[in-house]
Amino acid sequence: MSIVLHEVTHVYMQGTPYQRVAIENINLEIKQGEFVGIIGHTGSGKSTLIQHLNGLLKPTSGEVLVEGVNLAGKGLDVKQARQKIGMVFQYPEHQLFEETIYDDIAFGPRNLGLLPEEVERRVRMGIAFAGLDFDTFAKRSPFQLSGGQMRRVAIAGVIAMQPEYLILDEPSAGLDPRGRNEIFEHIRRLYQETGITVILVSHQMEEIASMANRLIVMHHGHICQDGEPRTIFTRYRENLKEAGVDVPPVTALLATIKAKGLAVDDTAITLEEGVATIAEAVRGRK
Ligand code: ADP
Ligand code: MG
């Protein structure tokens, strides 16, 4: 059970003066149950890469297989394979349009032709994911919500389709710190409770570090690192700098402290680890 990319290249506007190779010869396998973080500088090809995973973009060359089904085909099996992938685009709240939150989340499930009871079950699940009370919010307009709530309702519409893979493109972009934290908390809980496969593109290194069990770093349309987040953030700092991406703030702080002469362990990548590490180093000094 996996998504496989084999030698995938994508060229935008091929054959015109604006031709642009966005990703090149990407080989990748994402297995069910993984939580994959994708990071990289703006323009490195992250959005292009993930839009291949549900067939929205077609490879210029190479192939994408979802559980063995080549998305280049046209059969029913391709439609079914694509339905396993839930895609949350950047600023998904721009796609809200129904009069009520209920109808917005129900839109996808209704399109699947599900029975009303099942649609309602899916909507309840979605509203719970969004952290809202069903009775209070179901009949309200999504446009009365806060920015963070609106975004969570938009994501809920994707989750209500019960995809096996959930792909999110910078889901916290443009939110204030509280809205950001809430989004990540809800994604974290969804992953823990359902075991859904998550592929998350984000610039929030700290959240990526604490949630992802695999990290992919994109650079100029190539995968330049693919592995365990701790290893990449702590052993490949120079490569990350080259790729134009940061390490988590706490990892950077520990490196600074160490450079100033306090013997700290600088392999922490989450805030909790960082606090523990510093406390230990300070105790050791007394
Ligand atoms: P990222 O998501 O990492 O910022 P993108 O996948 O959006 O990167 O972009 C990769 C490259 O492809 C960039 O050079 C970008 O300018 C180019 N690109 C992206 N979308 C288009 C498009 N629709 N038409 C032409 N070029 C594009
Ligand atoms: Mg992008």
Side-chain angles (χ1 to χ4, degrees):
M1 296 292 133
S2 65
I3 304 178
V4 173
L5 275 70
H6 181 64
E7 294 287 320
V8 171
T9 295
H10 191 87
V11 184
Y12 286 107
M13 297 187 281
Q14 197 174 24
T16 77
Y18 306 102
Q19 173 165 321
R20 176 104 213 172
V21 181
I23 55 173
E24 194 172 26
N25 295 336
I26 301 282
N27 288 299
L28 180 63
E29 175 170 16
I30 293 170
K31 295 204 173 74
Q32 240 177 23
E34 286 190 305
F35 192 129
V36 182
I38 302 183
I39 62 175
H41 198 268
T42 303
S44 59
K46 306 180 296 296
S47 296
T48 303
L49 172 66
I50 60 171
Q51 287 176 66
H52 281 80
L53 306 181
N54 74 338
L56 194 79
L57 288 180
K58 301 267 178 257
T60 306
S61 60
E63 31 179 56
V64 181
L65 303 150
V66 172
E67 292 177 0
V69 178
N70 188 332
L71 295 189
K74 285 195 165 59
L76 182 63
D77 56 340
V78 173
K79 192 173 168 211
Q80 285 167 344
R82 289 182 62 175
Q83 277 174 3
K84 294 179 181 162
I85 316 280
M87 178 73 75
V88 178
F89 296 100
Q90 286 183 62
Y91 298 95
E93 64 275 18
H94 293 169
Q95 287 163 39
L96 293 170
F97 67 101
E98 293 281 358
E99 276 177 30
T100 67
I101 291 170
Y102 189 106
D103 286 342
D104 233 307
I105 299 177
F107 181 80
R110 281 177 181 149
N111 267 348
L112 291 179
L114 300 172
L115 295 172
E117 305 83 72
E118 177 61 11
V119 170
E120 170 147 348
R121 194 186 69 76
R122 302 282 189 100
V123 173
R124 285 182 179 275
M125 194 178 69
I127 290 184
F129 164 83
L132 301 174
D133 175 60
F134 183 87
D135 294 330
T136 314
F137 285 94
K139 296 290 162 202
R140 281 203 195 163
S141 162
F143 302 105
Q144 294 169 356
L145 298 171
S146 75
Q149 288 171 333
M150 250 160 100
R151 184 151 316 163
R152 296 200 309 267
V153 166
I155 299 175
V158 174
I159 289 169
M161 303 289 280
Q162 293 196 342
E164 291 174 29
Y165 300 84
L166 181 66
I167 304 172
L168 304 114
D169 197 353
E170 304 196 27
S172 72
L175 297 180
D176 61 18
R178 180 167 159 208
R180 271 207 307 264
N181 287 341
E182 283 171 351
I183 286 275
F184 286 123
E185 227 15 81
H186 289 263
I187 296 169
R188 189 195 307 269
R189 206 176 313 144
L190 181 76
Y191 176 69
Q192 284 168 349
E193 286 172 3
T194 66
I196 191 170
T197 309
V198 179
I199 300 158
L200 171 68
V201 174
S202 179
H203 291 286
Q204 300 301 122
M205 298 306 160
E206 169 142 11
E207 279 74 15
I208 289 263
S210 72
M211 292 198 284
N213 40 46
R214 176 176 174 193
L215 185 64
I216 289 175
V217 186
M218 300 283 300
H219 185 37
H220 290 326
H222 294 98
I223 293 175
C224 70
Q225 297 285 334
D226 180 353
E228 216 208 334
R230 184 183 312 281
T231 311
I232 293 175
F233 280 135
T234 63
R235 294 213 205 125
Y236 294 97
R237 262 177 234 182
E238 286 311 307
N239 306 55
L240 292 182
K241 207 177 279 175
E242 231 170 83
V245 295
D246 296 322
V247 298
V250 66
T251 311
L253 174 69
L254 288 171
T256 308
I257 292 175
K258 193 173 183 181
K260 295 218 184 271
L262 181 64
V264 288
D265 165 20
D266 60 354
T267 59
I269 57 172
T270 68
L271 194 58
E272 293 74 38
E273 291 172 0
V275 168
T277 297
I278 292 172
E280 196 177 306
V282 170
R283 264 198 306 273
R285 272 187 133 193
K286 283 183 187 159

